[in-house]
């Protein structure tokens, strides 16, 4: 198969959705992407960056608002028969048997009953579930249910298989085994599929599976970095080559963490509506203390840090981004380094930590600085949160705006920048005005 032959191609694709209050929010913008024959591509990015929306556009399940989507060189205006999806949630009908669930796609395409039975049994055997044709989903383990989802996707003999977080709902060992089985089928040529796109939060998984790793930016979603993986499969996760690539992806995923790399001429509304990392303060402190421990001495390899803390990439990266945002640490080439401010923070008393946290918060988080400035200008020293939420909703959907506002409030209270009354929804200065000014 030739890698130069594109099966699905996107040029300048954009997509917007309207929130409950009618505000339009751009989810994808200017996405250029081609999925070629003979390749597996992994797509990494933060939650809410538009990865799943991109997959649904590629499958023809939803349309793009801008740009061109083509399948085999022809414009894609509806569901593509050559594309199948596997979902994180298994998406099985609980009242149907394994055989019946797998046959569904064939039935929808009008395939004759005896042919449906034959092809479904072949797909079930291919994916390692022979003997379970009559079982109901509730009688199967999570890994077996996901195998049914994969068999249902493969039975229609798709050219393109889209996997949307297909392994993330499974325990680690089950996910690894299923991933290895998929790669064995791919390498052995027993799958009809000519290209696979995997959306994942797991960096190691992406490096072990893919020929290319794409890193998605958020607000709006777009391809930010691309990394070719030229190692033969199967790949040893402990080999120096794989560890180096994992380091490289971590470095790309954290590039621009903190203030570095932010456009200085951004509109004020966009800067205030920055998507703050979902980072718990106690976990941030724990990570910082671990970084300065004798084991690490102020510097840690991010993949090894994820291993020792038993945090998933989806949990660790927001903490790293938050520490970098506060200039308590910095990231360079996949390693996390504590800064002098971070050392002062770890060595400080509780009160000194709060003072440093508040100072760094005001210096680096535009939304919190704006709230504090507004409170300082208000004679009563208090304001409702709604105007700030309304400002966030200009750039974020309602749920994300509320999450960002909640994060800003938690951080602001911890840094003694302001207080918040959960009963009235009022943000107010501390009575002694002792916050950071």
């Amino acid at each position: 198969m030739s890698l130069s032959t594109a099966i699905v191609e996107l040029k300048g694709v954009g997509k917007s959705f309207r929130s409950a209050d009618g505000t339009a929010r751009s989810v994808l913008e200017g996405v250029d992407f081609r999925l070629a024959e003979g390749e597996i591509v992994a797509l990494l990015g933060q939650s809410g960056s538009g990865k799943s929306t991109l997959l649904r556009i590629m499958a023809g399940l939803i349309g793009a608002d801008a740009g061109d989507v083509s399948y085999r060189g022809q414009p894609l205006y509806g569901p593509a028969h050559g594309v199948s999806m596997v979902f994180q949630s298994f998406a099985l009908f609980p009242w149907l048997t394994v055989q019946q669930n797998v046959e569904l796609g064939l039935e929808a395409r009008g395939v004759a009953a005896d042919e449906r039975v034959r092809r479904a049994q072949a797909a079930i055997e291919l994916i390692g579930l022979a003997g379970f044709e009559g079982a109901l989903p509730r009688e199967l383990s999570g890994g077996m249910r996901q195998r049914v989802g994969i068999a249902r996707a493969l039975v229609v003999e798709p050219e393109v298989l889209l996997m949307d977080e297909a392994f993330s709902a499974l325990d680690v060992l089950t996910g690894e085994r299923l991933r290895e089985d998929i790669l064995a089928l791919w390498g052995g040529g027993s799958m009809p599929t000519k290209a696979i796109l995997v959306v994942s939060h797991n960096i190691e998984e992406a490096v072990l599976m893919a020929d290319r790793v794409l890193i998605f930016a958020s607000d709006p979603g777009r391809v930010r970095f691309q990394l070719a993986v030229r190692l033969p499969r199967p790949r040893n996760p402990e080999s120096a080559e794989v560890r180096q690539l994992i380091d490289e992806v971590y470095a790309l995923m954290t590039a621009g963490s903190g203030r570095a790399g932010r456009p200085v001429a951004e509109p004020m509304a966009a800067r205030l509506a920055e998507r703050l990392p979902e980072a718990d303060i106690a976990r941030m402190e724990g990570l910082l203390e671990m970084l300065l421990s004798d084991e690490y001495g102020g510097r840690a390899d991010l993949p090894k840090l994820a291993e020792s803390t038993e945090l998933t990439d989806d949990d660790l990266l927001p903490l790293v981004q938050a520490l970098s945002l506060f200039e308590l640490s910095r990231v360079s080439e996949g390693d996390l380094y504590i800064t002098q401010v971070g050392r002062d923070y770890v060595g400080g008393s509780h009160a000194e930590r709060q003072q440093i946290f508040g100072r760094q918060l005001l210096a680096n988080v535009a939304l919190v600085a704006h709230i504090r400035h507004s409170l300082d200008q208000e004679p009563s020293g208090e304001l409702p949160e709604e105007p700030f939420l309304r400002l966030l909703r200009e750039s974020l959907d309602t749920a994300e705006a509320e999450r960002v506002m909640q994060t800003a409030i938690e951080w602001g209270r911890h840094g003694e920048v302001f207080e918040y009354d959960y009963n009235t929804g009022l943000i107010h200065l501390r009575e002694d005005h002792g916050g950071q000014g």
Side-chain angles (χ1 to χ4, degrees):
M1 288 184 289
S2 170
L3 285 177
S4 62
T5 306
I7 303 178
V8 181
E9 188 163 11
L10 284 67
K11 294 181 180 177
V13 164
K15 182 69 179 177
S16 297
F17 291 108
R18 290 200 174 273
S19 57
D21 60 7
T23 305
R25 174 177 172 254
S26 180
V27 178
L28 301 173
E29 187 176 281
V31 176
D32 294 319
F33 172 67
R34 68 196 305 271
L35 184 63
E37 286 193 19
E39 68 172 350
I40 300 175
V41 176
L43 185 59
L44 296 169
Q46 293 182 8
S47 297
S49 60
K51 303 185 301 297
S52 294
T53 300
L54 182 68
L55 258 64
R56 281 155 177 77
I57 289 174
M58 290 177 63
L61 300 178
I62 59 174
D65 296 334
D68 300 307
V69 183
S70 61
Y71 177 80
R72 288 294 185 189
Q74 299 298 314
L76 186 62
Y77 295 119
H81 275 206
V83 180
S84 281
M85 281 191 70
V86 180
F87 302 92
Q88 174 185 355
S89 60
F90 313 143
L92 304 180
F93 289 98
W95 58 87
L96 298 181
T97 65
V98 168
Q99 176 82 22
Q100 290 167 333
N101 266 290
V102 175
E103 284 186 31
L104 274 177
L106 297 173
E107 187 175 354
R109 296 186 182 191
V111 176
D114 56 347
E115 178 69 3
R116 291 202 306 265
V117 171
R118 185 191 67 76
R119 286 172 60 175
Q121 287 177 344
I124 290 167
E125 184 175 352
L126 179 69
I127 207 66
L129 284 179
F132 290 91
E133 291 87 352
L136 293 169
R138 68 171 182 269
E139 299 169 322
L140 305 176
S141 67
M144 293 170 77
R145 289 199 295 273
Q146 190 59 297
R147 286 177 187 271
V148 177
I150 294 169
R152 186 177 57 191
L154 293 179
V155 76
V156 297
E157 300 179 350
E159 286 194 301
V160 174
L161 186 63
L162 306 176
M163 307 188 80
D164 192 3
E165 300 282 355
F167 310 113
S168 63
L170 307 173
D171 65 80
V172 173
L173 289 177
T174 302
E176 285 179 2
R177 187 160 55 246
L178 187 50
R179 183 183 69 219
E180 288 167 0
D181 288 348
I182 292 293
L183 289 175
L185 291 173
W186 170 264
S190 51
M191 289 174 72
T193 305
K194 294 183 173 65
I196 299 177
L197 177 61
V198 180
V199 164
S200 178
H201 278 112
N202 187 315
I203 291 173
E204 181 175 297
E205 176 180 283
V207 170
L208 291 175
M209 288 192 77
D211 302 294
R212 278 192 295 147
V213 176
L214 304 184
I215 296 170
F216 233 43
S218 304
D219 299 322
R222 61 206 179 279
V223 178
R224 187 160 62 117
F225 297 110
Q226 182 172 181
L227 179 71
V229 183
R230 296 187 173 88
L231 301 177
R233 285 184 289 262
R235 296 165 186 162
N236 179 1
E238 300 306 321
S239 71
E241 295 87 353
V242 167
R243 300 319 298 179
Q244 182 180 346
L245 280 168
I246 291 172
D247 274 351
E248 195 169 344
V249 176
Y250 267 101
L252 292 173
M253 288 284 287
T254 53
S257 292
R259 296 189 64 83
R262 284 192 230 158
V264 294
E266 289 181 285
M268 176 58 74
R271 287 199 298 120
L272 295 179
E274 178 184 8
R275 187 189 288 265
L276 301 178
E278 197 166 356
D280 176 75
I281 295 166
R283 277 187 165 187
M284 288 166 61
E285 289 190 341
L287 195 61
L288 209 56
E289 290 165 356
M290 179 180 286
L291 193 57
L292 201 53
S293 67
D294 292 339
E295 180 181 358
Y296 291 104
R299 170 191 169 276
D301 175 67
L302 280 173
K304 290 180 180 175
L305 194 61
E307 213 172 275
S308 61
T309 57
E310 297 185 351
L311 292 172
T312 66
D313 294 331
D314 213 25
D315 291 327
L316 177 63
L317 291 177
L319 296 175
V320 170
Q321 288 162 356
L323 290 175
S324 299
L325 178 64
F326 281 81
E327 298 177 352
L328 299 170
S329 69
R330 63 180 178 84
V331 178
S332 177
E333 298 181 352
D335 289 349
L336 186 66
Y337 295 83
I338 196 167
T339 63
Q340 186 56 52
V341 179
R343 291 176 184 274
D344 294 342
Y345 186 91
V346 173
S349 64
H350 178 70
E352 288 168 335
R353 285 187 175 193
Q354 283 185 303
Q355 187 177 31
I356 293 170
F357 193 94
R359 185 179 71 233
Q360 297 303 109
L361 183 60
L362 285 168
N364 294 288
V365 179
L367 175 60
V368 172
H370 175 63
I371 293 172
R372 176 55 193 256
H373 177 74
S374 300
L375 291 173
D376 285 336
Q377 302 304 308
E378 178 62 33
S380 67
E382 67 178 25
L383 288 166
E385 67 174 320
E386 183 53 38
F388 302 109
L389 266 172
R390 195 160 52 240
L391 185 65
L392 292 177
R393 290 191 201 107
E394 291 180 15
S395 302
L396 304 173
D397 64 37
T398 299
E400 184 63 8
E402 290 174 355
R403 186 198 68 76
V404 168
M405 190 67 197
Q406 184 62 38
T407 298
I409 286 170
E410 288 176 5
W411 289 356
R413 292 179 70 239
H414 181 73
E416 299 188 330
V417 175
F418 47 68
E419 290 294 341
Y420 178 74
D421 189 322
Y422 286 92
N423 293 317
T424 64
L426 289 173
I427 307 170
H428 58 91
L429 294 171
R430 288 166 52 83
E431 288 184 11
D432 58 2
H433 282 221
Q436 311 302 313

